[in-house]
Amino acid sequence: MSTSSAPAAPVLFQEKLWPSAGTWVWPVLIAATAGVAIAPISVLGGVLTGVAVLVSLVAVFLVRVPVIEVTEETLQVGRATIERKFIGEVVGFRGEEAFKERGQRLNGLAFMNLRGWLDAVVRMEVTDPRDETPYWITSTRRPEELTAALGGVMDEYREDQPPASDRPEVN
């Protein structure tokens, strides 16, 4: 009896959004605080508590790293997946325009995978008429590669739109 499954679609783009070096300061500070809180009762208990909290937080940080993966058929951002046939316009942003996409122009109904330690974002329009989500937006270290894998373009290279700074705000 054969249990072979269909071959996996080739991956066109993949990225793990690892926390930045500065982000790792927080688990250390939280663990130290927990240890200091217990230390007046027992120094050994404080040290053990601090180590346990640090190990737990590092484990959570490592397990919760979102993955962005593009195949010919699907787009996966973290735990969410959408068929590529429902992805419309794809635009990548850096700098001030990325800041505006994450703030002033952000639609509250959008699917968001934003990480504070990453500057660039990619916005992917959702064209599924059954889905109320207008677009997906995700942080990325490699917006040029992600937009290319999805057939999109970076904001500064779009010819059919006025510069993003001249466009009206999206409500």
Side-chain angles (χ1 to χ4, degrees), residues 66-88:
V67 175
I68 302 170
E69 185 175 277
V70 178
T71 67
E72 292 177 2
E73 300 294 322
T74 62
L75 164 65
Q76 176 184 345
V77 178
R79 294 182 292 179
T81 303
I82 188 170
E83 293 179 57
R84 293 235 355 234
K85 67 182 179 181
F86 296 122
I87 299 292

Side-chain angles (χ1 to χ4, degrees), residues 2-171:
S2 175
T3 59
S4 64
S5 59
V11 175
L12 305 175
F13 175 88
Q14 185 176 41
E15 177 182 16
K16 288 189 175 190
L17 302 180
W18 295 104
S20 68
T23 304
W24 292 103
V25 170
W26 292 106
V28 172
L29 290 175
I30 292 168
T33 302
V36 168
I38 302 298
I41 299 167
S42 166
V43 173
L44 179 60
V47 170
L48 293 175
T49 299
V51 169
V53 169
L54 180 62
V55 168
S56 299
L57 289 173
V58 168
V60 168
F61 268 53
L62 294 177
V63 169
R64 305 269 310 161
V65 171
V67 175
I68 302 170
E69 185 175 277
V70 178
T71 67
E72 292 177 2
E73 300 294 322
T74 62
L75 164 65
Q76 176 184 345
V77 178
R79 294 182 292 179
T81 303
I82 188 170
E83 293 179 57
R84 293 235 355 234
K85 67 182 179 181
F86 296 122
I87 299 292
E89 180 184 32
V90 177
V91 183
F93 300 89
R94 284 193 179 275
E96 181 67 25
E97 295 306 317
F99 179 77
K100 289 179 181 176
E101 288 297 320
R102 289 189 310 267
Q104 294 172 328
R105 292 193 291 257
L106 185 64
N107 185 321
L109 295 176
F111 169 78
M112 297 171 256
N113 182 52
L114 301 174
R115 298 296 181 259
W117 57 85
L118 297 175
D119 176 56
V121 295
V122 174
R123 186 183 67 214
M124 299 148 281
E125 176 188 25
V126 175
T127 60
D128 185 352
R130 299 169 297 160
D131 193 342
E132 293 180 9
T133 307
Y135 60 87
W136 285 19
I137 186 166
T138 184
S139 297
T140 177
R141 286 185 173 89
R142 301 169 11 220
E144 293 84 4
E145 294 176 47
L146 178 54
T147 56
L150 291 168
V153 66
M154 292 298 290
D155 182 60
E156 62 260 27
Y157 300 118
R158 295 187 344 175
E159 295 176 7
D160 61 334
Q161 297 282 333
S165 58
D166 295 340
R167 283 183 283 212
E169 300 298 321
V170 176
N171 292 329

